[in-house]
Amino acid sequence: MGGAGCYIAEKIGNAHNCEVVAINDSHSTLTDKKAHHKLNLNLENSNGRIPTPEQLVMAANSISSNFQQLIQHKQKVIIVVGLGGNTGTNVAPVLAKIAKEHNKSITIVATLPFDFESQRQAIADTALLKLKADFNNIIIHDHSAHNNSEKSLLISLEDYFAEVADQLAAEYEPHILFWG
């Protein structure tokens, strides 16, 4: 779900040979994804405007029937989301509740922002509290707690995210459906 979630879900899905559904706000953000399925929220940014949380919730509801079809024969849904951004933070709870309403076992794999992303940190904390109120099985990777080592300062951001995805893949055994 969203940029970070899609990236990590792809890595985890590839590591465990699981079905991956990539969900993001526009066609352009999904074109390079190697997911089995892609759900476009159809919120192409126009004039540089970022979709509002309300628009994202409406967009999540608009793809709910497609999402329901993808999960109908699945026992477990794993939601991979980077909290603190716009798309994942606002859409993940909506689709997680849809999966819960369809009696799916749900695991949420969430990443939290880096220390220098103070604005996103507050948004992520609020989103995480909301998710914890509705879901018990949440795996959290806090970038601010894990990127203070000397090694993390010497690698590229892409390599760092690849390592995070590998760590999360190792932490979680494969299940039926991953989506990002």
Side-chain angles (χ1 to χ4, degrees):
M1 173 75 40
C6 286
Y7 179 80
I8 293 170
E10 275 185 6
K11 296 281 287 180
I12 293 172
N14 288 337
H16 291 294
N17 197 28
C18 295
E19 189 174 344
V20 176
V21 179
I23 302 171
N24 215 338
D25 61 2
S26 66
H27 175 74
S28 63
T29 60
L30 291 169
T31 54
D32 64 337
K33 302 299 174 222
K34 295 176 178 74
H36 298 88
H37 307 280
K38 299 175 187 180
L39 293 179
N40 181 355
L41 296 168
N42 294 313
L43 293 170
E44 303 294 329
N45 292 339
S46 61
N47 300 326
R49 289 181 295 183
I50 297 171
T52 65
E54 295 78 19
Q55 289 172 316
L56 287 158
V57 168
M58 287 189 322
N61 286 318
S62 75
I63 64 164
S64 65
S65 62
N66 292 340
F67 178 68
Q68 288 172 34
Q69 287 177 345
L70 290 171
I71 66 169
Q72 77 180 16
H73 299 295
K74 310 297 181 201
Q75 297 172 345
K76 183 164 200 72
V77 175
I78 303 165
I79 297 170
V80 184
V81 59
L83 294 177
N86 201 25
T87 304
T89 299
N90 292 294
V91 176
V94 174
L95 296 181
K97 285 182 183 180
I98 291 169
K100 186 176 182 178
E101 290 168 1
H102 286 82
N103 300 314
K104 305 302 177 187
S105 174
I106 301 160
T107 297
I108 297 173
V109 177
T111 62
L112 301 178
F114 293 96
D115 280 338
F116 60 84
E117 296 178 293
S118 56
Q119 264 188 314
R120 287 179 175 235
Q121 197 72 34
I123 294 167
D125 290 344
T126 301
L128 185 58
L129 283 174
K130 288 179 184 176
L131 288 170
K132 284 182 174 180
D134 290 325
F135 303 98
N136 298 342
N137 199 8
I138 301 176
I139 297 171
I140 300 167
H141 178 86
D142 186 349
H143 292 306
S144 65
H146 288 92
N147 77 329
N148 294 325
S149 72
E150 188 173 308
K151 180 186 175 203
S152 68
L153 298 174
L154 300 175
I155 63 174
S156 71
L157 195 56
E158 184 175 335
D159 289 343
Y160 171 78
F161 285 132
E163 283 185 12
V164 168
D166 291 343
Q167 289 170 7
L168 290 170
E171 190 174 331
Y172 195 85
E173 289 299 313
H175 286 277
I176 308 301
L177 175 71
F178 280 87
W179 65 274

